[in-house]
Amino acid sequence: MPESQGGKTLTSLKQLNAMDFAEFFNELWGHRPFDWQRALADRVLERSEAPWPEAIALPTAAGKTACLDIAVFALAAQAAQKQAITAPRRIFFVVDRRVIVDQAYERSRLLADHLEKAQGGVLKRVADNLRQIAHGEADGSEEALPLAAYVLRGGMYRSEAWMKSPLQPMVVASTVDQIGSRLLFRAYGRGPSTWPIAAGLVANDSLILLDEAHCAQPFLQTLQAVRRYQKWGHTPLERPFYSVVMSATPPPEMERFEDLSEESRDPTHPLGKRQLAQKPAVLKTVGKAKGKRATDVLARALTEAASGLLNDQRRAIVVFVNRVATARETYCLLQSREDIDAVLLTGRMRPVDKEVVVQRLEPLQSSQSAERTLARPMIVVATQTLEVGADLDFDGLVTECASLDALRQRFGRLNRMGRKIEARAAILMRGDQIGDKGDDPMYGEALTKTWHWLNEHKNENGEVDFGIAYLPDGDSSLNAPSVDAPVMLPAHVDCWAQTAPEPQPSPDVAPFLHGPREGVADVQVCWRADLDLIDEKETALELLSLCPPSSSETLPVPVGVFKRWLVGEDAADDSADVEGTGTEDSLRGNGSPTVERLVVRWRGTETEAEDITADPRAIRPGDIIVIPGTHPGLARQLGDLPPDADLDVGDRAYLLARAKPILRLHPKLVGDWPDSATAKETARELLKDLERKYEDDELDDALHYLLTELSNSPEPSWLSEAASELCKEFSGSKLHIVGGNSLVLVGRRRIPELTREADRFSDEDDASASGIGCPVKLLEVVS
C-alpha cells in the first residue's frame, strides 16, 4: 500500500537520510564534505525543533556555502516523509557586497544545473524528490525544475520570475536592500501590486543565510523582529522562517554551530592547510596622504607596494582599498604599465561588463590555484566588494588599513587554499588617520584602534601574521561599528501591510535594513544613445517601451553621487563600496545647477513625460534612471566601464533578459558597431533614406537584406544572433518606425538556447509580449 501525503501517493518518492548526504555532496562537487558539513547536515535532518542554528561560526575559506547544499538536500529528504514538509522551499543567500551576489548565484546555478541533468545515483533521487515538490503532485513532471536559481541585484521594474510559484524549490542570491525591502512590503523599484506577494514568499517557507552579518547587524535584528511577530498571528501559517548568520565573529548572544573536528588542525587535510597557512604582513604609514591629496598619494603608495610584492612565485596580487575613488586612481596608475595585467573590480559595474572582468579572473579561482600559470603578472584592484565570500586565491596582498574584522576578511583571499608558497602582504595607513579622531565614515574609531593594536602585536621583523591560526582575536572595539535597527513596533507592521493604497506617511524601511543615520538605497543607472529628451520626449518614451531597461545593463550609483552629477557638481565617489553607505541629500552647491541634464525615471508602463527630469529632488532611492548617451565622456564619472565598452548595451541586455531578439537602428547605435561588421554601411544608408517615404515592400526588402548581412557577420556575436532570429520570423508586423531616424525590430519568439537563462527575468514590461493570459488564484495553485 503506497504512503500518502495530503491525499497524494508517494510511490515514486525516494527515501533519503543523513548517511546519503556525503554521497550527494561528492556527486555534486567531486569530493567528500568536511566533517563540520556532515555534522550540520545531520543536525538539520534529525531535529524537528530549531533544525538550523542561529549562527554558523566558521572562519573564511571553511566552505560555508555548502549550507546551500545542506538546505536543498534536507528539503528533498523530507519529501518522502509522512508528515508535512517543514524544510524551507526558498533559500535566500544574502550579502551586502554586490559582486559576491553574482558569485553566489553562479554557484547556485551550478547546483541547479547538476540536479536537472542528473541521470542516476543520489543526485537523481534528490532531483526527483524536488520535482515532486515543485510540481505539487505525486506523479511529478519531468518538465518541472528540481531547483531554480535566481539573482536579485536591484533594478528592473517587475522582473520577479522567482515569484511565479510558491511551490518551486529555489535559491535566490541577493542583497540586504533587495530582500529586506521585499520582506517589509516595500520592494525597491517595484509597484505596490506585488508587495504583499513578495513579503509573503520571503517571510514564509524560507531560509535566509546572511553572510558575514557583522556587516548587516540592523537587518539581522529586523529578521529577528519579524520572526517574533509571526507568532502573534491568530492562525499562524506554520511555515518555516529561519535566519542564519554565517560569520567568523557572530554576535556573542546567538546560539553557535562550530567545527568540533580535528580537520582544521591537521596540516595534511585541505581544511587544515587553509587555516594553518602563514600570512605575514608588514605595516607601513603613508605620512603624506592627508587632506585633498590623500587619495592621489595613497594610490601611488598602494601601487608601489603591490609592484614590490611581485616575483617569480607571487604573480597574482590583490589591492584592497576603502573608497571607490581610491580604487579608480590606483587602477589608473597600474593600467599605464605594459608588463602586467591590471584589473579593476568594484560594485559600480554593469553585469554585462562584470562578466567579462570575472572571466579574466577565472585562473585565480581557488579550484584552479594549485595548477595555474599566468602568462603575465596580474594585479587586481578591489573595494570592499571582494572582501566577503569571493572564491579567489592570491599570492600577495596589499590593503589600506581598515577595522580588524574587515582585514580578516580581506586576508581570506590571500593563499586561500594553503598552498606551499611564500605569501606576503602589506597594510598601509593614511597619515591623516593615525590620530584618534574616529571620524572614518565606514569604520569609525575602529580603524585607528586597529592600527595601534596591529603595531602592538607585530613581531621582531615588524610584521603581523594574519594566518587564521596565528592572529589573536582582539576585542569588539576593533570591529567596524554597527548601529542598531529601530525597534519595530506593531504600528510599523500595520502601516507596511497596507499596500493598496499605501498610507501616507509610510515608515521608511531603510533604517530597518542598515540602521538609522546609515545610507540609503542606490539608484540603478543605464544609458541609451537613441533618446532625445529635449525635442522628442514622447518618441523617447516609445523607444524605451519597446526596449525597456534590463538589470544586466544597469549599475548602482549612490543616490547622493548621482544627484551631484545631475546638477553638474563634482561627482567623485568617495564612498565605501558597501550597500547602503551612500547618502541621499549631499548636494554641495548653494546656487542654481551649473548644467541641466535630463534623465528618465523609468517606472515601466506607468512612465510619463513628467518622469523626464533634471531636478535632483525628483530622484528617489531605488529609482531606475535612463541617461541619454549625449555625453559619453561623463559616463565614467558614475560607473566603472571597461575602456572599450559600448555605452548603450540595451539590445544585448534585452536578448539576455528575455531570450527574444531586438534590433534598434539609429545612427549613433550603428556607429558603435565594429568596423568589421560588413552591414555597417548598409545600415547607415538605410537610415538616411528613412527620411523619405518607403513603399512597404521596398522597406521590407531593404531590411531583410540588412538582417541577412548581419546574420553572416562574425562579430559581435549577439548582433548576428539577433539578426539571424529576426530573419526567421521577419514580417512588417514587427516593424516600428519611431521618429525620423529610428527604427526598431522586435522579435516575438524566444530563442530556445537562451530561454532557461532568461527565465529568471519576467517580460511583463515587454512591449512585444502578447499580453494574453488569465489570472490564477493562489488557492488554485496550491490545492
Side-chain angles (χ1 to χ4, degrees):
M1 192 74 180
E3 298 174 344
S4 65
Q5 181 180 3
K8 299 169 184 175
T9 60
L10 299 179
T11 306
S12 60
L13 296 177
K14 315 298 192 303
Q15 295 290 336
L16 297 165
N17 56 48
M19 299 297 293
D20 295 316
F21 173 74
E23 190 61 33
F24 165 73
F25 192 94
N26 187 50
E27 289 182 14
L28 268 177
W29 310 117
H31 58 86
R32 308 290 288 185
F34 296 149
D35 281 350
W36 77 261
Q37 294 165 341
R38 288 200 297 268
L40 180 60
D42 289 346
R43 169 187 168 134
V44 172
L45 287 164
E46 294 172 1
R47 287 196 187 187
S48 56
E49 296 292 331
W52 285 92
E54 293 180 317
I56 297 174
L58 294 167
T60 184
K64 294 190 289 290
T65 50
C67 291
L68 297 175
D69 312 327
I70 295 169
V72 169
F73 183 85
L75 176 60
Q78 282 201 1
Q81 296 179 1
K82 293 182 180 181
Q83 65 268 28
I85 294 175
T86 59
R89 280 178 168 85
R90 287 173 290 281
I91 305 157
F92 296 95
F93 188 96
V94 180
V95 62
D96 64 352
R97 304 301 197 268
R98 301 175 183 92
V99 172
I100 307 307
V101 169
D102 292 322
Q103 283 204 347
Y105 163 70
E106 182 61 24
R107 190 185 188 284
S108 305
R109 189 191 62 78
L110 287 174
L111 172 58
D113 192 54
H114 285 317
L115 287 168
E116 184 183 5
K117 296 177 180 178
Q119 298 297 315
V122 176
L123 206 58
K124 181 67 162 58
R125 289 158 57 194
V126 169
D128 288 344
N129 283 11
L130 292 174
R131 283 193 177 95
Q132 301 282 11
I133 296 171
H135 207 261
E137 55 187 35
D139 61 349
S141 168
E142 282 298 320
E143 298 301 319
L145 280 178
L147 183 72
Y150 297 99
V151 59
L152 295 176
R153 301 184 187 89
M156 293 311 94
Y157 190 80
R158 295 158 88 187
S159 58
E160 299 285 22
W162 69 278
M163 291 167 46
K164 287 180 178 178
S165 170
L167 299 179
Q168 175 66 58
M170 67 180 65
V171 178
V172 180
S174 191
T175 64
V176 169
D177 271 338
Q178 294 306 309
I179 296 301
S181 64
R182 284 166 175 76
L183 175 67
L184 301 182
F185 294 88
R186 293 297 183 269
Y188 287 150
R190 280 17 178 221
S193 61
T194 62
W195 287 352
I197 302 172
L201 292 175
V202 174
N204 294 279
D205 227 348
S206 61
L207 166 67
I208 297 180
L209 298 171
L210 188 55
D211 196 17
E212 295 303 335
H214 68 275
C215 306
Q217 178 74 11
F219 182 53
L220 173 60
Q221 295 169 338
T222 294
L223 291 174
Q224 294 168 338
V226 168
R227 189 168 187 181
R228 288 195 299 270
Y229 278 125
Q230 284 181 325
K231 300 176 181 178
W232 286 27
H234 293 294
T235 55
L237 294 181
E238 298 182 354
R239 303 307 303 162
F241 177 65
Y242 305 120
S243 59
V244 180
V245 171
M246 300 191 302
S247 173
T249 55
E253 69 276 7
M254 302 188 78
E255 178 218 356
R256 298 185 176 200
F257 175 88
E258 297 177 322
D259 183 5
L260 302 179
S261 72
E262 294 294 322
E263 290 180 343
S264 62
R265 292 176 284 277
D266 181 356
T268 65
H269 190 275
L271 192 57
K273 292 178 181 179
R274 302 175 193 181
Q275 299 195 22
L276 296 174
Q278 293 186 310
K279 305 177 182 182
V282 64
L283 308 179
K284 298 180 180 180
T285 301
V286 186
K288 294 183 179 180
K290 298 180 179 179
K292 294 181 178 180
R293 299 183 62 244
T295 298
D296 293 340
V297 174
L298 180 62
R300 286 197 297 272
L302 291 165
T303 301
E304 293 172 2
S307 301
L309 289 180
L310 288 171
N311 61 22
D312 291 340
Q313 190 181 57
R314 293 189 294 270
R315 297 177 62 80
I317 310 295
V318 62
V319 179
F320 280 109
V321 299
N322 298 344
R323 302 286 184 272
V324 174
T326 310
R328 291 170 176 167
E329 182 63 27
T330 305
Y331 171 70
C332 285
L333 293 173
L334 289 168
Q335 193 183 27
S336 62
R337 293 184 50 175
E338 298 181 354
D339 59 330
I340 64 169
D341 289 328
V343 179
L344 175 64
L345 195 56
T346 74
R348 312 288 197 262
M349 302 179 73
R350 302 179 300 192
V352 291
D353 300 324
K354 192 186 306 173
E355 289 175 3
V356 176
V357 174
V358 171
Q359 286 176 0
R360 294 179 62 188
L361 299 182
E362 282 186 0
L364 306 184
Q365 291 181 355
S366 299
S367 59
Q368 303 183 35
S369 58
E371 299 84 18
R372 74 178 177 214
T373 56
L374 298 177
R376 295 202 305 174
M378 180 181 291
I379 299 181
V380 178
V381 182
T383 53
Q384 292 94 342
T385 194
L386 268 193
E387 72 183 19
V388 174
D391 189 24
L392 298 174
D393 191 353
F394 293 92
D395 308 322
L397 179 147
V398 176
T399 178
E400 187 178 354
C401 189
S403 60
L404 183 60
D405 54 341
L407 290 177
R408 285 183 187 275
Q409 290 300 324
R410 295 178 185 186
F411 274 84
R413 309 317 124 201
L414 176 61
N415 195 13
R416 184 172 178 82
M417 303 306 289
R419 293 170 289 139
K420 292 183 178 181
I421 64 169
E422 188 184 1
R424 305 288 298 179
I427 303 174
L428 277 59
M429 183 69 166
R430 279 172 43 167
D432 58 1
Q433 292 180 327
I434 294 179
D436 292 320
K437 295 180 179 179
D439 56 356
D440 185 82
M442 180 69 186
Y443 302 110
E445 295 181 356
L447 189 149
T448 301
K449 289 183 177 180
T450 296
W451 179 251
H452 294 315
W453 183 86
L454 291 173
N455 277 277
E456 292 172 0
H457 286 80
K458 62 185 179 183
N459 58 26
E460 61 276 7
N461 297 322
E463 298 173 338
V464 178
D465 194 337
F466 263 81
I468 295 173
Y470 311 108
L471 188 70
D473 289 338
D475 59 56
S476 60
S477 68
L478 303 178
N479 294 337
S482 179
V483 296
D484 293 324
V487 176
M488 187 185 294
L489 302 174
H492 291 120
V493 181
D494 289 341
C495 282
W496 288 328
Q498 300 176 52
T499 59
E502 179 185 359
Q504 295 297 332
S506 180
D508 182 13
V509 300
F512 294 87
L513 308 182
H514 300 290
R517 302 181 306 280
E518 285 283 319
V520 294
D522 303 319
V523 294
Q524 301 288 326
V525 171
C526 69
W527 288 265
R528 292 297 174 85
D530 56 348
L531 302 187
D532 182 351
L533 301 184
I534 298 176
D535 300 320
E536 299 286 345
K537 292 186 177 181
E538 294 300 328
T539 299
L541 295 182
E542 186 178 354
L543 284 167
L544 279 175
S545 70
L546 293 170
C547 185
S550 302
S551 62
S552 58
E553 64 176 313
T554 66
L555 58 84
V557 179
V559 66
V561 172
F562 181 77
K563 287 183 176 182
R564 294 199 302 272
W565 177 88
L566 194 63
V567 299
E569 292 184 3
D570 178 16
D573 192 350
D574 200 34
S575 61
D577 200 2
V578 176
E579 185 184 49
T581 55
T583 57
E584 182 172 2
D585 299 316
S586 54
L587 294 179
R588 295 164 181 167
N590 297 319
S592 301
T594 58
V595 299
E596 183 177 80
R597 293 171 177 163
L598 288 171
V599 298
V600 181
R601 290 182 66 235
W602 178 248
R603 299 188 298 117
T605 55
E606 300 174 11
T607 308
E608 300 175 347
E610 290 74 16
D611 292 306
I612 298 176
T613 182
D615 185 358
R617 294 170 297 180
I619 306 301
R620 298 288 183 267
D623 278 349
I624 300 162
I625 306 294
V626 185
I627 304 175
T630 50
H631 302 289
L634 297 174
R636 286 170 175 78
Q637 294 180 9
L638 296 177
D640 295 316
L641 280 63
D644 56 348
D646 292 332
L647 195 59
D648 184 335
V649 292
D651 291 6
R652 190 180 358 154
Y654 184 101
L655 183 68
L656 290 172
R658 297 165 177 83
K660 295 178 182 178
I662 193 169
L663 183 61
R664 293 175 297 140
L665 295 175
H666 184 276
K668 291 182 179 178
L669 291 169
V670 171
D672 287 336
W673 292 359
D675 293 333
S676 57
T678 56
K680 190 170 185 176
E681 193 57 38
T682 304
R684 282 175 168 164
E685 292 300 321
L686 187 151
L687 290 173
K688 285 180 183 179
D689 289 341
L690 274 183
E691 296 180 1
R692 68 179 178 86
K693 293 295 183 181
Y694 267 103
E695 295 292 336
D696 287 345
D697 291 344
E698 186 182 9
L699 181 56
D700 280 356
D701 289 343
L703 284 171
H704 194 270
Y705 178 79
L706 173 63
L707 291 174
T708 303
E709 245 191 314
L710 286 172
S711 300
N712 297 324
S713 180
E715 57 179 63
S717 59
W718 70 266
L719 182 57
S720 60
E721 184 173 12
S724 177
E725 291 298 323
L726 287 169
C727 264
K728 294 176 184 177
E729 53 173 312
F730 182 81
S731 71
S733 63
K734 300 186 305 303
L735 173 63
H736 302 271
I737 299 178
V738 186
N741 63 347
S742 295
L743 188 149
V744 183
L745 290 169
V746 183
R748 294 186 182 277
R749 293 203 301 256
R750 304 186 90 188
I751 303 172
E753 294 80 4
L754 298 178
T755 296
R756 180 55 53 77
E757 181 69 11
D759 274 344
R760 69 179 189 268
F761 300 94
S762 74
D763 57 359
E764 295 180 46
D765 272 350
D766 185 351
S768 69
S770 65
I772 299 173
C774 57
V776 179
K777 294 181 179 180
L778 183 61
L779 286 176
E780 297 176 10
V781 175
V782 299
S783 62

